[in-house]
Amino acid sequence: MPVVMARDLEETASSSEDEEVVSQEDHPCIMWTGGCRRIPVLVFHAEAILTKDNNIRIIGERYHLSYKIVRTDSRLVRSILTAHGFHEVHPSSTDYNLMWTGSHLKPFLLRTLSEAQKVNHFPRSYELTRKDRLYKNIIRMQHTHGFKAFHILPQTFLLPAEYAEFCNSYSKDRGPWIVKPVASSRGRGVYLINNPNQISLEENILVSRYINNPLLIDDFKFDVRLYVLVTSYDPLVIYLYEEGLARKCTLKMGNTVVKTSLPI
């Protein structure tokens, strides 16, 4: 929440004789936290996109809250913010409260942010989201805390840097192995191999030992996704969403993998 808006809300709430206090205290988009110094938190409601409730829009409009979307097409984010009274500014504008970007910001840009401005990426969060960086960090944690404590992924190699090591391991276990791009998603560019000659070394990739005996549900492969929101790394603050996603293959193990998604 913008600092100016927070201060204005606190000043309004401190006057018990102001009729506006009641409306702000009970407003569905404002949640008050803190002890001696009460802090207003802006709460978003997904149903506002459909209801187009003017009462939901009033906070964003009253405090002239603004956002910009950079290098991405986040239609859902735009709809949510618009439904809550935020107005969109040009991507090059420096007058905004929220920047939603599809790429990671450079350190010098982060240093220019004011207290009233928020972005949707922590610095270097790709250390967890990029497959190559996650692999390297898991290896580092294995060295620091012991292999057993972080034995959470199959034998993996980063190519082309570790191509020789991979070929040495392949000579002992011919696979199959699974290949994944280091910075992709939604299964794009993933394929199985039985020979190193099947691998293209033109870009960085991860090659992992394929798990032939995974946990199955009635002979069907599946995965479970739980979603979290990290609001701080120091101290670490993580919120776990109440709903997740379970994906189950429509064909049994050994056939072509086709997945269908179910909420959990």
Side-chain angles (χ1 to χ4, degrees):
M1 169 179 292
V3 173
V4 174
M5 175 185 172
R7 289 172 180 166
D8 288 347
L9 283 172
E10 289 169 355
E11 290 172 2
T12 304
S14 64
S15 174
S16 59
E17 297 178 359
D18 194 333
E19 294 180 359
E20 217 171 338
V21 172
V22 177
S23 63
Q24 289 187 355
E25 288 282 354
D26 299 332
H27 196 280
C29 290
I30 298 178
M31 180 175 66
W32 295 88
T33 63
C36 298
R37 182 176 181 271
R38 302 183 68 210
I39 302 172
V41 176
L42 190 60
V43 179
F44 293 92
H45 299 270
E47 63 272 14
I49 297 177
L50 300 177
T51 61
K52 302 185 185 303
D53 188 346
N54 288 331
N55 188 43
I56 295 291
R57 298 176 56 89
I58 194 170
I59 297 298
E61 292 176 346
R62 177 180 297 167
Y63 296 100
H64 309 291
L65 301 181
S66 61
Y67 71 95
K68 68 177 183 177
I69 295 180
V70 182
R71 291 190 289 274
T72 186
D73 182 23
S74 300
R75 288 176 291 178
L76 180 58
V77 172
R78 179 180 281 110
S79 298
I80 283 284
L81 293 173
T82 301
H84 286 76
F86 283 64
H87 67 276
E88 185 171 4
V89 298
H90 192 272
S92 63
S93 174
T94 59
D95 185 16
Y96 62 88
N97 299 108
L98 173 66
M99 178 186 353
W100 194 275
T101 174
S103 60
H104 294 274
L105 297 178
K106 301 297 182 181
F108 76 91
L109 288 175
L110 291 169
R111 284 193 289 266
T112 64
L113 296 176
S114 70
E115 285 188 280
Q117 294 177 316
K118 305 295 182 183
V119 296
N120 65 320
H121 286 292
F122 280 100
R124 298 185 68 86
S125 59
Y126 55 80
E127 295 286 347
L128 294 175
T129 58
R130 278 182 59 111
K131 295 180 180 66
D132 55 345
R133 297 307 309 154
L134 178 61
Y135 160 66
K136 287 293 187 181
N137 285 317
I138 290 176
I139 296 299
R140 183 168 58 86
M141 296 304 286
Q142 289 176 346
H143 291 160
T144 303
H145 300 286
F147 177 80
K148 186 176 180 180
F150 280 85
H151 182 34
I152 57 176
L153 79 167
Q155 186 179 21
T156 299
F157 300 93
L158 179 60
L159 304 188
E162 299 174 345
Y163 184 74
E165 293 91 332
F166 166 64
C167 289
N168 181 56
S169 183
Y170 169 80
S171 66
K172 302 172 184 176
D173 181 359
R174 296 183 176 274
W177 296 74
I178 187 167
V179 180
K180 300 180 179 181
V182 299
S184 188
S185 61
R186 303 196 298 273
R188 294 173 296 180
V190 177
Y191 59 95
L192 297 177
I193 63 160
N194 290 291
N195 191 302
N197 295 332
Q198 298 172 276
I199 300 176
S200 171
L201 299 179
E202 296 179 357
E203 58 182 1
N204 290 336
I205 56 174
L206 279 183
V207 180
S208 301
R209 191 184 301 276
Y210 186 73
I211 301 176
N212 287 309
N213 59 338
L215 180 64
L216 303 174
I217 298 179
D218 296 331
D219 295 328
F220 291 96
K221 293 183 70 174
F222 72 98
D223 64 17
V224 175
R225 296 191 174 192
L226 302 178
Y227 295 92
V228 299
L229 171 66
V230 180
T231 59
S232 172
Y233 280 104
D234 186 16
L236 184 61
V237 180
I238 303 175
Y239 295 91
L240 175 65
Y241 283 88
E242 293 181 352
E243 296 184 355
L245 195 67
R247 301 190 303 172
K248 183 178 178 182
C249 294
T250 56
L251 298 178
K252 292 188 176 183
M253 178 73 174
N255 296 308
T256 303
V257 176
V258 180
K259 289 182 177 178
T260 182
S261 300
L262 298 171
I264 59 173

